[in-house]
Amino acid sequence: MLARTLMVCLIAGGLAAAQPKPAAKPATGQPTPGTTPARTDQAPSLQKREEQVPPDQPVITLHGLCEDSAKGSGAGCETKVTREQFEALVQAFNPSHQTITPVMRRNLAQAYVDLLTFAQAAEKAGIENSSNFKEVMRVLRLRTLSDLYGRSLEDQYRNPPANEIEKYYQDHLADFQNMKLRRVYVPRFDPTGKTTAADQKAAFEAKAAKVAEEMYTRAAKGDDMEQLQKDAYAAMEIKSNAPSTDMGAIRKGALPVETDKALSALSPGGVYKATDPTSYVIYKLEAREQLPVDRVKEEISRTLERTNIESKKKEVSSSVKADLDEKYFGPPGAPSTPALPRPDR
């Protein structure tokens, strides 16, 4: 029993801990200096190795550890773990189906050996008869049931039916649009950093507000946005090259909430002036593109999965009401989600 308890704490966490952290990729897409490019034949080699080992063949043999803890330990004892048993163990604690590399597999095997070894020592010491052990196991049973219920909900809602996806798409058509935008950028503060005096800063910002309003008026009349950007920089006496106004296709929801809401209300050709802490931005909506359902199917599936799981969990949690004795616990404070007790704390 203790081995299973520790497996929850170590093996389940070990899958994440044993996963090597990916190195940051250079912008050029070339391998990081001093590293070896990942082998593309690693997965096939791993599969070939598995096929060479029958399911009932022992892959871990512990000498000096009896399978029956009542027999103790010693030179005449042996515990064997077959490939099938070890893979069932890993699968039980790998719900997200992470790729298990050979190095991770060996590390997990060694962790399991340590668990079995110290678990038997704990049994000999009578730990499993202690009140602490029984309480920890009770709470871990509750935690495991809760986790497995959550996993069952993920399995249940992972693949929503096509008609549910289509209905969500039709009900949220505006959420699946690209906006073809251009923008004119007017900085509120001197980008060169040369304007340092308070009165100079105030004058620069006042001028920026005036130029931004002029660019907005001209954009509403249909003036070319590229020319407006050049004129704005010239008026602000900014010597650097004016940036391109073409933003390409921007997905609804990608911009700040207030700006996104204003742009969503525009018709093609409409303009909007946004103000943020550092600049004025004049947007012009050139066109809208409705994304077909096939292009957003996976996104909708994930949204429905998340929404359905949250709804089910809320339904379950709202069916139970708890009263806490304030004489004992004190008055309620800020909402929080405390971690459940762990046996190693």
Side-chain angles (χ1 to χ4, degrees), residues 101-119:
T101 67
V103 172
M104 290 173 63
R105 178 177 294 189
R106 175 171 284 276
N107 290 343
L108 291 170
Q110 185 58 56
Y112 187 46
V113 168
D114 292 342
L115 289 173
L116 291 173
T117 301
F118 284 96

Side-chain angles (χ1 to χ4, degrees), residues 322-336:
D323 293 323
L324 303 183
D325 189 335
E326 291 192 11
K327 290 182 180 179
Y328 180 76
F329 293 105
S336 62

Side-chain angles (χ1 to χ4, degrees), residues 200-278:
Q200 292 177 326
K201 289 182 178 180
F204 188 96
E205 186 171 2
K207 185 175 182 180
K210 182 179 179 181
V211 170
E213 186 62 27
E214 180 185 348
M215 297 304 111
Y216 170 73
T217 301
R218 290 175 57 186
K221 291 179 179 179
D223 285 11
D224 180 73
M225 295 290 281
E226 291 289 338
Q227 186 60 51
L228 291 180
Q229 181 65 79
K230 294 176 182 178
D231 291 348
Y233 263 40
M236 297 303 300
E237 300 181 11
I238 300 174
K239 303 302 182 183
S240 58
N241 292 333
S244 171
T245 63
D246 189 2
M247 296 182 67
I250 301 297
R251 179 70 182 273
K252 184 179 184 298
L255 296 171
V257 175
E258 184 177 343
T259 299
D260 188 77
K261 183 178 180 181
L263 293 177
S264 297
L266 292 179
S267 299
V271 296
Y272 170 72
K273 184 179 73 172
T275 304
D276 63 37
T278 62

Side-chain angles (χ1 to χ4, degrees), residues 83-228:
R83 170 196 153 192
E84 184 176 33
Q85 291 171 328
F86 180 73
E87 290 181 352
L89 175 74
V90 173
Q91 179 61 32
F93 292 97
N94 187 22
S96 58
H97 306 289
Q98 295 182 44
T99 299
I100 308 297
T101 67
V103 172
M104 290 173 63
R105 178 177 294 189
R106 175 171 284 276
N107 290 343
L108 291 170
Q110 185 58 56
Y112 187 46
V113 168
D114 292 342
L115 289 173
L116 291 173
T117 301
F118 284 96
Q120 188 173 94
E123 289 173 350
K124 289 180 182 179
I127 301 297
E128 64 181 343
N129 296 320
S130 68
S131 58
N132 282 349
F133 174 80
K134 293 175 181 177
E135 184 61 15
V136 166
M137 291 305 298
R138 184 186 73 83
V139 173
L140 282 177
R141 176 182 177 275
L142 297 176
R143 178 59 182 266
T144 302
L145 284 171
S146 176
D147 288 346
L148 290 177
Y149 178 69
R151 196 187 303 179
S152 72
L153 292 180
E154 292 174 2
D155 293 337
Q156 178 180 349
Y157 294 116
R158 182 172 291 116
N159 298 305
N163 63 329
E164 191 173 344
I165 292 175
E166 179 64 29
K167 183 179 185 307
Y168 186 92
Y169 175 76
Q170 294 296 335
D171 290 344
H172 301 81
L173 282 174
D175 292 337
F176 303 110
Q177 292 182 349
N178 279 341
M179 298 181 288
K180 190 175 187 308
L181 295 171
R182 288 189 178 274
R183 69 177 173 188
V184 172
Y185 170 78
V186 182
R188 295 175 60 182
F189 305 102
D190 186 356
T192 66
K194 295 179 180 179
T195 303
T196 57
D199 58 339
Q200 292 177 326
K201 289 182 178 180
F204 188 96
E205 186 171 2
K207 185 175 182 180
K210 182 179 179 181
V211 170
E213 186 62 27
E214 180 185 348
M215 297 304 111
Y216 170 73
T217 301
R218 290 175 57 186
K221 291 179 179 179
D223 285 11
D224 180 73
M225 295 290 281
E226 291 289 338
Q227 186 60 51
L228 291 180

